[in-house]
Amino acid sequence: MSTLILRTATRMLTALLLLVSVYLLWRGHNEPGGGFVGGLTAAAAFILVAISDGWRAARRSLGVDPRLIALAGLGLAAGAGLIAGLHGLPFLTGLWWKQAGLPLGTPLLFDIGVYLAVMGSVLTVAFAIEREV
């Protein structure tokens, strides 16, 4: 069982880790980071909850089966690549739209897909290992 200090710190650190993971995802186009490292950081936040409060609490806080998260990420990443094909361009060609002053494009969709796929995959493996132990 965990201590009161660990449980209290976990609440703050989980929110911070999730915020950092979104930051890493967002800045990954211009600097190191992106969907992969952001997804790993998000998975680490839920594994910290599991260490502190138990695996059931981590599953409850996630709210969705991690396999579905991974599958949604794979679909989003593939869909981002296929959008270019609808415009007669090669697979994974980047397309950009300027909405409300933000440059949004298919590379960001791809990175979000990678983020979800990595997070879901890591948590699926972690939960499977927990069941075996």
Side-chain angles (χ1 to χ4, degrees):
M1 223 32 161
S2 63
T3 65
L4 176 63
I5 294 172
L6 178 60
R7 286 192 307 267
T8 304
T10 296
R11 288 186 194 111
M12 291 183 286
L13 286 174
T14 300
L16 180 63
L17 281 170
L18 291 173
L19 186 64
V20 167
S21 77
V22 171
Y23 173 75
L24 290 170
L25 168 69
W26 185 254
R27 77 170 217 169
H29 295 298
N30 300 321
E31 296 180 30
F36 188 83
V37 70
L40 286 176
T41 306
F46 289 100
I47 291 172
L48 180 62
V49 170
I51 291 169
S52 171
D53 301 328
W55 290 97
R56 286 185 182 170
R59 284 193 185 108
R60 271 195 316 274
S61 65
L62 186 59
V64 178
D65 186 349
R67 293 176 293 184
L68 292 176
I69 295 172
L71 185 61
L74 287 173
L76 189 59
L82 293 173
I83 290 173
L86 296 174
H87 296 333
L89 297 169
F91 183 70
L92 285 177
T93 299
L95 299 173
W96 298 91
W97 302 274
K98 292 216 176 195
Q99 296 293 329
L102 289 174
L104 302 174
T106 55
L108 179 60
L109 287 177
F110 179 79
D111 263 355
I112 292 170
V114 170
Y115 177 96
L116 294 172
V118 168
M119 181 178 136
S121 299
V122 169
L123 290 175
T124 297
V125 170
F127 290 160
I129 290 172
E130 175 269 331
R131 276 186 226 124
E132 292 297 319
V133 175

